[in-house]
Amino acid sequence: MAICDWKKKMCLRKDVSLPLTGDNMNTIKKSLKDRVWDYLIKNEKYIKGYLHKDEKCNKVTVQETETSGALPIETRYRPLEDNGTVTLLEVELITGRTHQIRAHLAGTGHPLIGDYKYGRRTLNDEYCRKYGLKSQLLHAYRLEIPEIEGRLSYLSGKEFTAPLPYLFQKILKEEHVEENK
């Protein structure tokens, strides 16, 4: 789960699917429950861009056009529930790049709450005071493993889930956003 923000309105994002990298891992998808704050999101959206990493400050930027050294990124999200100011989203990362989820959503006006690198300090501070939030709100809640070969083949077709942490549950409840599924 991740929370993000832009200006004064909010939105909420929920399920992220992220390909992992490494030996036979590039086909594994990792789902994340996310809370994203911004203006109300009403429609499913597919976004793409190019991610460029600045190694010196360990930060990435997202651009609409390809530049030297930039990697393509693709993200899809759809709203699941809202309370009029906050939207619970299902997010799928089609590519899995460094800081993609954080930078791509921040680049579209939806930075994660608790993300001081890409987000808005004043809102992050507010959630720190209100909920004791000390990190970005991002939780891997589902790992789906497709059919794979090789030394990890024993994991083929398996799915693993993890419950939402208490803080995420508390924020959902206090913000009056509940998933109807």
Side-chain angles (χ1 to χ4, degrees), residues 1 8 10 38 59 63-64 72 105 116 158 175-176:
M1 176 182 251
K8 295 181 181 175
M10 303 178 215
D38 198 327
K59 191 170 182 177
Q63 304 153 338
E64 290 185 17
L105 287 173
Y116 282 90
K158 296 200 185 264
E175 297 295 329
H176 306 289

Side-chain angles (χ1 to χ4, degrees), residues 2-7 9-13 35-43 45 47 77 87 89 100-113 115 118-120:
I3 296 188
C4 98
D5 129 83
W6 187 75
K7 300 201 176 171
K9 296 188 178 181
M10 303 178 215
C11 84
L12 179 73
R13 118 173 161 214
R35 258 197 107 177
V36 178
W37 298 88
D38 198 327
Y39 31 80
L40 197 59
I41 296 174
K42 289 291 188 183
N43 299 307
K45 191 166 185 180
I47 53 177
Y77 58 85
T87 305
L89 299 177
Q100 178 180 334
I101 197 168
R102 299 163 64 190
H104 211 184
L105 287 173
T108 61
H110 300 77
L112 303 179
I113 288 190
D115 188 350
Y118 300 102
R120 195 171 60 138

Side-chain angles (χ1 to χ4, degrees), residues 23 40 65 83 102 121 147 149:
D23 185 30
L40 197 59
T65 57
N83 68 1
R102 299 163 64 190
R121 176 168 294 282
E147 295 300 317
E149 296 180 6

Side-chain angles (χ1 to χ4, degrees), residues 28-29 142-147 153-160:
I28 297 175
K29 289 195 173 183
R142 186 177 62 217
L143 176 66
E144 296 176 15
I145 304 180
E147 295 300 317
S153 62
Y154 66 95
L155 295 172
S156 286
K158 296 200 185 264
E159 179 177 306
F160 303 92

Side-chain angles (χ1 to χ4, degrees), residues 40-91:
L40 197 59
I41 296 174
K42 289 291 188 183
N43 299 307
E44 181 172 335
K45 191 166 185 180
Y46 167 82
I47 53 177
K48 61 183 183 174
Y50 295 89
L51 185 138
H52 185 269
K53 184 171 184 180
D54 181 340
E55 297 287 344
K56 290 179 185 174
C57 65
N58 192 32
K59 191 170 182 177
V60 300
T61 55
V62 176
Q63 304 153 338
E64 290 185 17
T65 57
E66 187 174 7
T67 59
S68 178
L71 299 170
I73 57 172
E74 300 175 60
T75 309
R76 179 179 295 117
Y77 58 85
R78 71 180 178 92
L80 297 178
E81 187 63 48
D82 72 75
N83 68 1
T85 57
V86 176
T87 305
L88 184 64
L89 299 177
E90 181 175 85
V91 178

Side-chain angles (χ1 to χ4, degrees), residues 18-32:
L18 170 66
L20 300 175
T21 59
D23 185 30
N24 284 331
M25 298 295 276
N26 61 336
T27 57
I28 297 175
K29 289 195 173 183
K30 181 179 180 181
S31 292
L32 306 170

